[in-house]
Amino acid sequence: MDDKKTIIGGGFFRPEEKTFIDKISGILLKAQTMYTPQLTDFLNLREQTILDNLINKYDGLYVHYFGGYENAERVRGIIAPDYFVPKDSDYEIAMYEIRYPEKFANLHHGQILGSLTGSGVERDRFGDIITDGENWQFFVFNSMSDYIEDQVKKIGPYKIHLIEKSFNELLLPKDESADETITIQSLRLDTIIADVYDLSRQNAKSLVDHGKVQINWVVNKNASSFITITDTLSVRGFGRIRVNDIMGRSRNNKYLLSVNIIKK
């Protein structure tokens, strides 16, 4: 693996993750020296894995996660001395429901995310966007509440209204993903895309080359990049793949992967 940096728990640190690692290392050092809780931005699964590995170097520190509901994918972390027990309010998260003309509009995740980030707020300020199949809710820093309410008036061509809700008014999220076990020849990005979506290796490589593939929400144009545990691959027009586990090798020496797949 040419792009390896540091081996961690079945995976590796990528060079492009250095900025995040430096930022989290600074937060960890502050928590240790000041001995006070420190709150992170919203972290994706890969970032949570990195934080879990880094915090092992700091005695007496523990990280707690919360994203607005149980089993949230994007969460904020509180890095704190091991005696600290956080409350939900300590994570400083607001939850909004989107009111829209349901008879005329058919909202989808990418459309909502585009409108939220298009308002000028960075992605790490937003948590999950969830739906029960009809209604939509999302999570955001509560410090951004006034700004979001003022800036986000439309999603796509549709006028919308944002209503702040309490966590006990959470929708029951509709899960359209499926866990599968697959076998692949290598851990290359184009290989896993080709296998999951039944494409030729050349077609999978073309998707990567044309900027239609993201690893952990960052566009990656290197088809030979290697994937690892907790990586999330987004393939425009096809769906999303999350790598739950790399379980070793099969009898014919292929990699055994546990993945979670959303197909469009």
Side-chain angles (χ1 to χ4, degrees):
M1 297 184 183
D2 294 337
D3 53 355
K4 276 188 181 180
K5 276 294 181 180
T6 306
I7 299 295
I8 57 166
F12 52 91
F13 290 152
R14 297 183 175 93
E16 60 268 27
E17 293 171 334
K18 184 178 185 303
T19 299
F20 175 76
I21 292 168
D22 289 345
K23 180 178 180 180
I24 287 296
S25 296
I27 295 173
L28 286 164
L29 183 60
K30 187 175 181 180
Q32 185 182 60
T33 55
M34 298 181 66
Y35 214 59
T36 56
Q38 302 295 319
L39 183 60
T40 73
D41 297 335
F42 279 101
L43 308 178
N44 62 43
L45 290 171
R46 174 63 180 169
E47 291 167 339
Q48 294 166 47
T49 299
I50 292 172
L51 173 51
D52 289 341
N53 277 270
L54 293 177
I55 202 168
N56 289 331
K57 301 177 182 178
Y58 294 82
D59 293 334
L61 289 185
Y62 188 80
V63 57
H64 307 264
Y65 294 116
F66 183 62
Y69 66 104
E70 188 175 356
N71 297 323
E73 187 172 288
R74 294 179 59 82
V75 297
R76 301 191 77 177
I78 292 181
I79 299 166
D82 49 17
Y83 65 80
F84 181 77
V85 180
K87 306 182 295 294
D88 288 353
S89 58
D90 293 328
Y91 294 89
E92 301 180 10
I93 297 172
M95 184 179 82
Y96 278 93
E97 188 160 310
I98 303 170
R99 297 287 174 84
Y100 66 101
E102 299 171 15
K103 291 183 179 180
F104 308 102
N106 184 21
L107 300 185
H108 56 82
H109 184 282
Q111 192 180 40
I112 296 169
L113 178 59
S115 295
L116 294 176
T117 55
S119 69
V121 182
E122 297 295 328
R123 181 66 178 100
D124 55 16
R125 269 56 175 172
F126 293 107
D128 285 358
I129 300 170
I130 61 174
T131 182
D132 61 3
E134 181 177 336
N135 303 293
W136 290 86
Q137 293 176 339
F138 66 88
F139 301 86
V140 65
F141 283 12
N142 60 15
S143 61
M144 304 297 301
S145 294
D146 290 343
Y147 181 84
I148 290 296
E149 290 179 21
D150 182 63
Q151 294 295 316
V152 182
K153 303 292 186 181
K154 294 180 70 177
I155 293 178
Y158 307 110
K159 291 184 178 180
I160 60 98
H161 186 56
L162 300 180
I163 306 294
E164 188 168 2
K165 296 281 188 175
S166 62
F167 293 148
N168 60 16
E169 298 175 279
L170 178 78
L171 299 175
L172 182 60
K174 183 180 180 181
D175 187 359
E176 297 181 333
S177 66
D179 288 326
E180 296 183 19
T181 299
I182 64 173
T183 58
I184 55 175
Q185 194 68 45
S186 79
L187 299 177
R188 283 173 52 117
L189 179 59
D190 55 356
T191 302
I192 188 172
I193 292 171
D195 185 274
V196 169
Y197 295 115
D198 196 23
L199 302 172
S200 70
R201 180 81 166 270
Q202 187 58 40
N203 285 342
K205 184 177 183 303
S206 179
L207 288 170
V208 179
D209 291 343
H210 287 85
K212 294 184 178 181
V213 176
Q214 297 180 344
I215 298 181
N216 302 319
W217 295 273
V218 177
V219 172
N220 186 299
K221 293 186 177 182
N222 181 5
S224 63
S225 293
F226 286 89
I227 56 89
T228 190
I229 297 169
T230 68
D231 275 346
T232 298
L233 316 180
S234 303
V235 186
R236 192 186 311 166
F238 289 86
R240 197 180 73 173
I241 308 162
R242 185 179 70 232
V243 182
N244 293 329
D245 195 11
I246 300 172
M247 302 180 294
R249 302 266 192 158
S250 65
R251 289 183 178 178
N252 57 359
N253 208 34
K254 290 186 176 181
Y255 288 96
L256 280 169
L257 267 64
S258 169
V259 296
N260 180 270
I261 300 171
I262 297 177
K263 295 184 179 180
K264 287 190 178 295

